[in-house]
Amino acid sequence: MIIWVNGAVGSGRTTLVAELRRRMPESLVYDPEQTGFVLRGVVEVPTGDFQDLPLWRSQVAGMAIGLAREYGRPVLVPMTLVDPRYAEEIFGALEAAGVTARHFFLAVTASELEARLDARVLCPDDSERDESARAWCKAQVPRCVAAADELRGGAVLLDRELPTPELADRVMAMLG
């Protein structure tokens, strides 16, 4: 089973996945961003967003399928995925492979996301790069917030105002 935790940068995906991992110690954590970093080191990413690379999307689906099949354990995936076409491509590939995928989206207001990003240090040793990364993340906020209205069928919207343990309780209850 794939448990995809979606939401904007700063929404708490990584925090929720860490709590779920604590509760499901047998689970694996797969961060598709790492796949993006590998690709970025090999090929040019014209748009700056590795999700725009068809190879990224096929590799993410393939890795998630492979991990679930090879190891037979739940796979936790903390990744922002807000383009409905890309979500359809990835989740469609999981379905076609017969792999169960549960999709959870952390809903956070734009103002809260911006406040969280302002309080965050992304690149501690390079203030210029830190500001550039923060600006990129903040530029994504509108489309990430809007994505909550365009979620693929079956996705579960989670209110990020709830504390992480409560969110994890809800996810665990939905997983059975």
Side-chain angles (χ1 to χ4, degrees), residues 5 10 18 27 35 60 62 65 96 98 104 109 117 127 130 136 148 152 156-158 167 175:
V5 179
S27 64
T35 301
V60 166
I65 291 164
F104 298 92
T109 65
L117 291 169
S127 61
D130 185 63
W136 188 87
R152 191 172 192 274
V156 176
L157 199 61
L158 296 173
L167 289 171
L175 295 175

Side-chain angles (χ1 to χ4, degrees), residues 75-152:
V75 179
L76 301 167
V77 181
M79 186 68 204
T80 302
L81 186 60
V82 297
D83 186 310
R85 297 166 302 163
Y86 299 169
E88 185 59 40
E89 190 175 333
I90 291 170
F91 288 111
L94 298 175
E95 286 172 8
V99 175
T100 301
R102 297 298 307 269
H103 182 194
F104 298 92
F105 188 93
L106 296 169
V108 181
T109 65
S111 59
E112 178 63 22
L113 286 169
E114 289 181 12
R116 290 178 186 185
L117 291 169
D118 284 338
R120 218 172 185 190
V121 176
L122 302 169
C123 306
D125 299 330
D126 186 339
S127 61
E128 190 174 305
R129 189 166 161 236
D130 185 63
E131 187 51 43
S132 175
R134 184 177 296 103
W136 188 87
C137 291
K138 288 173 86 173
Q140 307 311 307
V141 167
R143 75 184 196 134
C144 290
V145 171
D149 296 329
E150 299 179 31
L151 293 175
R152 191 172 192 274

Side-chain angles (χ1 to χ4, degrees), residues 9-71:
V9 173
S11 64
R13 289 167 297 132
T14 303
T15 303
L16 178 56
V17 163
E19 178 62 20
L20 292 170
R21 174 80 166 92
R22 188 184 69 73
R23 295 174 185 213
M24 296 185 292
E26 75 284 3
S27 64
L28 303 170
V29 176
Y30 167 51
D31 185 350
E33 194 164 12
Q34 299 303 314
T35 301
F37 295 152
V38 169
L39 284 172
R40 186 175 281 150
V42 176
V43 298
E44 182 183 342
V45 183
T47 65
D49 185 348
F50 50 72
Q51 289 192 17
D52 293 332
L53 298 173
L55 183 58
W56 179 83
R57 298 188 301 275
S58 67
Q59 290 299 301
V60 166
M63 178 68 90
I65 291 164
L67 288 168
R69 283 184 176 160
E70 182 74 22
Y71 297 97

